[in-house]
Amino acid sequence: MMEPVIRIDGSGADPCAGIVRIDWPKAIWNGTMIAGTVAALAVATWQAVLMFLVLTYGTLLVGHSVGMHRMMIHRTFRAKPWVARALIYVGTLVGVSGPSGIIRIHDTRDWAQRKAECHDFFAHRAGFWQDLAWNLFSRFEFVRPPRITIEPAISADPFYRFLDVTWRWQQAPLALTLYWAGGWPFVLWGICARVFVSTAGHWSVTYFCHRPDLGTSPGRWLVKDAGIQASNLPGLGLVTYGECWHNNHHAFPESARIGLEPGQVDPGWWVIAALERLDLVTAVGKPRGPDAREDLLERESA
């Protein structure tokens, strides 16, 4: 298993002090995707909707869950260079951000949630519609922000730097292909509806998995000193690529497998296990042993 990368320095930073502001490039991008989704409903065909379902599921599973989240952010496995680039490229096509942007979004939120207190922007306490609006249109402006340093393997790689600069434009080649295959219905469903549903869907897992008051399963583990604890969403493993077992993930971010308990379906793990059998990935991480869990408490009822 690879050692985790420490990218964030929170010394002197305050996870509570700051203000939520409109992020205009983000707001315009997601607003355009929403408008395109509304237009897609007017020109829906069964072929376009089927393509949307397959493309959305495939890009989120392979690109975001496996490539960006488990490999790039948490380094739970090592892939051959061409495999890693392919996975992160597919993750970029999800349409949320480029590689460095995804790391900054994830690591900042994770840092804030592991503090004793954090702003509602990170704690998801603002309510469903407010939190969704923040996720789609806004950013958090810290009074004293943490410092994030992305490792050179990402920040100095010409391909990943190119994706960071052009991530929105990466939809264009796909849009041309979709237009050739099925005209405007394919473009609207394959680009606009897919990006909007992917962004909102990714947010929804994050929202519900950090709101135990909404009836989610608390899971087996408590992370010591963390103000925000993660929950699980039973029964949703297949449609969330295994990301719904979020309590496990907070406890064992080093593990490539997130669905750790019997019956916890984890399609992301299926993909990683298949890549390992093909000798395309190595150093696949497992949960650390009982002698290295001093940061965890196990619930008595588990």
Side-chain angles (χ1 to χ4, degrees):
M1 186 195 315
M2 293 178 289
E3 290 296 321
V5 173
I6 299 175
R7 304 184 180 98
I8 195 160
D9 178 3
S11 56
D14 188 337
C16 298
I19 189 170
V20 180
R21 294 191 181 276
I22 292 290
D23 183 332
W24 285 108
K26 181 179 181 180
I28 292 170
W29 173 252
N30 285 323
T32 300
M33 296 302 109
I34 292 171
T37 301
V38 173
L41 295 173
V43 295
T45 65
W46 71 265
Q47 296 95 333
V49 173
L50 178 61
M51 175 275 303
F52 154 79
L53 292 173
V54 172
L55 193 58
T56 301
Y57 193 91
T59 52
L60 280 169
L61 170 62
V62 174
H64 187 82
S65 181
V66 173
M68 285 188 156
H69 190 205
R70 307 193 202 200
M71 180 188 70
M72 182 183 70
I73 292 173
H74 291 290
R75 298 182 65 193
T76 66
F77 64 91
R78 181 184 289 114
K80 291 182 181 295
W82 70 268
V83 176
R85 284 174 169 77
L87 291 173
I88 292 177
Y89 178 74
V90 175
T92 301
L93 285 180
V94 169
V96 175
S97 187
S100 295
I102 291 291
I103 289 173
R104 291 180 184 277
I105 292 167
H106 177 280
D107 283 20
T108 301
R109 183 183 67 240
D110 187 67
W111 166 79
Q113 290 175 344
R114 289 175 184 268
K115 297 298 180 182
E117 296 288 342
C118 65
H119 192 277
D120 287 354
F121 184 86
F122 305 108
H124 303 288
R125 285 187 292 253
F128 183 90
W129 294 109
Q130 179 67 76
D131 206 75
L132 176 59
W134 279 354
N135 180 80
L136 293 175
F137 307 124
S138 303
R139 59 182 169 81
F140 188 76
E141 189 173 289
F142 287 96
V143 173
R144 294 186 296 279
R147 291 178 294 278
I148 297 178
T149 302
I150 298 173
E151 63 272 24
I154 300 295
S155 63
D157 185 287
F159 180 67
Y160 298 142
R161 292 174 65 181
F162 172 71
L163 292 182
D164 281 330
V165 174
T166 65
W167 65 270
R168 292 185 179 94
W169 291 104
Q170 295 305 318
Q171 303 297 329
L174 177 58
L176 290 173
T177 303
L178 291 172
Y179 183 80
W180 172 82
W184 283 111
F186 268 47
V187 173
L188 292 171
W189 280 94
I191 302 296
C192 299
R194 177 183 56 81
V195 170
F196 168 61
V197 169
S198 296
T199 304
H202 174 263
W203 162 82
S204 67
V205 173
T206 301
Y207 178 79
F208 286 104
C209 283
H210 295 104
R211 290 290 302 269
D213 57 308
L214 298 178
T216 55
S217 171
R220 182 176 178 180
W221 304 99
L222 287 169
V223 179
K224 292 180 182 178
D225 302 323
I228 305 300
Q229 299 291 333
S231 303
N232 293 328
L233 298 174
L236 297 180
L238 189 62
V239 297
T240 63
Y241 327 101
E243 297 287 338
C244 67
W245 312 116
H246 216 61
N247 179 262
N248 302 344
H249 177 58
H250 269 225
F252 303 106
E254 72 278 5
S255 176
R257 185 173 188 172
I258 299 177
L260 299 175
E261 304 292 335
Q264 292 183 343
V265 175
D266 187 354
W269 167 247
W270 300 342
V271 173
I272 295 168
L275 292 174
E276 185 179 28
R277 287 193 295 271
L278 294 171
D279 293 324
L280 296 176
V281 307
T282 57
V284 177
K286 299 179 180 179
R288 59 194 182 280
D291 58 340
R293 298 178 183 178
E294 61 277 358
D295 60 324
L296 299 178
L297 293 173
E298 189 170 3
R299 286 189 170 92
E300 293 181 2
S301 59

